[in-house]
Amino acid sequence: MTRRYLVIDDNEEFAENVAEILSDTGADVCLAAGGRAGLEQVKAQRFDVVVTDMKMPGMSGAELVRLMRDVDPGVPVVLLSAYAQDSQLDEARRYGLLAFLNKPAGTPKLLELLARARRDATVLLVEDDRALAENLTEALSSQGFTVCAASTLGELDGVQIKPLAALVDLRIPGGADGIALERVRARFPGTPIIVVTALNADPQGLECNMEVLRKPFDTQQLVERLEALAAHEQTS
Amino acid sequence: MQVVFVLFQELQRYIGFTAADEVVLQGLHSKLQPFFPAIVETFYARVLEHEDSRAALTRGEKHVGQLKGTLVKWMNELFEGPWDERYVERRARIGRVHVQIALPQHYMVSAMNVVRVGLRERLSQVMAEGSKEAHAARDAVERICDLDLALMLHTYREDLEAGQARAERLATFGALVGSIGHELRNPLGVIETSLYVLKGRTTDERSTKHLDRIGQQVTLANDIITQLLHLIRERPLASTRVDLSELMTGTLASTAPTVTLDVSPGIHVEGDPTQLRQVLVNLAQNAVFFAGESGRVEARLHRAEAGLVLSFDDSGPGIDPSIRNRLFEPLVTTRAGGIGLGLALVKRITERHGGTISASRSTLGGARFTISMPAIGATP
């Protein structure tokens, strides 16, 4: 099936270049010069991936992702920025990103990400260890999964998308051990939960739709598990 | 005449320190001198009692024994004079040193009080209480102590303000560099994507060669921006146990294979391997560049008393005297095509790992860069 992409950037030359490259791969590409116009397009059509700039007049990329989640929660988003550490990046990560890339991103890398992107495959990642969270995000992105990242209880409450699965660290700041787990279960009943723990003993309160992953774990194994969940989701 | 000496003369008039006081102090010198060591002992016992001042003093390279010697010399000068321009310069240096070792200013006031009380007690032992001489002696001692303290506080403040002004300049520089760097990435993004399209549509050999060349330059430009941004941003420092010996051997083998290595095995540090690698690469590249094709570069890593010592020696022309004082500041370079960020970054990373870096003359004839850094398992 023909892939359909939306490219949003106020830098017209850049947006047109990306569109041209993507069209060459046989995809349908739409362009928008800003967040508002982009949002209208997302309302009107179903895209396989949205590529957006972070810093745009009127509406930032982060704000756009937040609003887009109300219209199409399952669309993968690649956020591009000329800024390495954007203050709004963490916010955008909470709304769910396929990836964040620095400009100039390297076209081959961008093409590979877009080709592998899966719709409706968001993984909720509740983890406060930044290094681990970043590694997992990168591994999951490269396999086409969108990651919704929360590192505190407060951030967890801001998550809007219903995830395919949740990866939950038992210890995150903002509450006692295990509260994050309860919160995820209450918010997204029925969602498979993978508990990430450094403890040896099984944590309390485990239920049938939960699995335990002990640190350090094999990322490949985790990715395979998620792929199985995604496949199951599609058939059902 | 030095500004600080003019200030000293003004203060003398204000406090009423006259030639008569000078005579009194010189007369007291031989009487009080035997007590100086005891006063110094009390002084350092007090200093080492306090966490902040102890930390500041023991961070410095000098041992307390040496410092005690310096203090005795200081007291001799206090009574001996001459209270001239050179005297003032020596006193001013004390204030500067205290800024350098980050000793909080109020400790200078309390420390001076320890000396003052010590001298007063000894005075009452050597002179009859209430006599005219005793009065004159006490006044002279109080005055010279006031003057010395005023000088130290003055230069302390001056140096501190100069340091702050420098930090502000660097912050402005940082903000400017940050916005220019980021803004340049947008056009680079356009160039990179345009190149991608062109490369796919070009079969002509010469065009391909030039497109590749543009691509390499885009990568280079982006690397320069990335380095600049690293320099101005507090990149979070990873904290893992790093086998520096292994990192050094591996890094230099792949990036600077001509460097002669002398590395003790198994030296570990707590730190960020990526950033430490950057330190090694930058120092090695500089040394190799300046040594030239026929030159020699030697790199060493060994344990030292308080951690480790890492050094790079080259047989190049040595450090250009015109930039010696600003060697570690950003945008200072004598390397053709260099932008002067390498050493600034090396210094920044070294300091963030609790280390220090210095440059000197190498026995190979060129420059030597020496880094001292805490190591795991070393007794600090």
Side-chain angles (χ1 to χ4, degrees), chain B residues 133-334:
Chain B
E133 289 76 21
H135 254 288
R138 216 182 60 195
D139 285 353
V141 170
E142 293 289 345
R143 283 183 188 126
I144 193 62
C145 284
D146 282 347
L147 281 171
D148 260 54
L149 182 60
L151 283 178
M152 289 177 214
L153 291 176
H154 174 79
T155 43
Y156 185 99
R157 200 195 63 206
E158 239 181 23
D159 264 42
L160 198 64
E161 282 172 358
Q164 279 163 350
R166 194 172 160 276
E168 272 167 35
R169 272 203 309 280
L170 281 178
T172 313
F173 160 83
L176 191 70
V177 163
S179 59
I180 295 174
H182 287 129
E183 287 312 319
L184 282 175
R185 280 191 162 158
N186 275 315
L188 285 179
V190 177
I191 298 173
E192 196 268 337
T193 43
S194 283
L195 267 176
Y196 184 86
V197 174
L198 284 177
K199 276 188 195 165
R201 307 178 69 83
T202 307
T203 46
D204 172 46
E205 200 178 304
R206 246 177 96 187
S207 302
T208 305
K209 182 181 90 182
H210 285 281
L211 289 176
D212 285 344
R213 192 167 287 172
I214 297 174
Q216 285 157 11
Q217 298 301 309
V218 167
T219 308
L220 180 65
N222 191 40
D223 287 349
I224 292 173
I225 293 171
T226 308
Q227 272 207 44
L228 270 169
L229 296 176
H230 280 175
L231 188 66
I232 58 166
R233 197 181 57 221
E234 286 291 339
R235 232 187 356 154
L237 201 63
S239 185
T240 51
R241 188 186 164 92
V242 182
D243 185 335
L244 193 61
S245 308
E246 212 177 281
L247 184 73
M248 184 155 170
T249 317
T251 302
L252 296 185
S254 62
T255 58
T258 54
V259 175
T260 311
L261 288 178
D262 175 11
V263 175
S264 301
I267 299 183
H268 290 82
V269 295
E270 185 81 25
D272 188 320
T274 318
Q275 298 196 31
L276 289 169
R277 187 173 187 279
Q278 175 104 60
V279 166
L280 296 168
V281 169
N282 287 9
L283 287 176
Q285 281 178 347
N286 272 350
V288 169
F289 176 86
F290 283 108
E293 276 185 22
S294 56
R296 274 197 304 153
V297 176
E298 294 174 6
R300 293 184 182 78
L301 173 63
H302 296 296
R303 281 185 190 76
E305 198 179 339
L308 64 89
V309 171
L310 191 167
S311 63
F312 278 82
D313 280 79
D314 70 66
S315 62
I319 296 156
D320 191 320
S322 68
I323 61 160
R324 184 180 296 276
N325 291 333
R326 297 178 300 131
L327 196 59
F328 295 103
E329 287 183 21
L331 306 184
V332 173
T333 185
T334 54

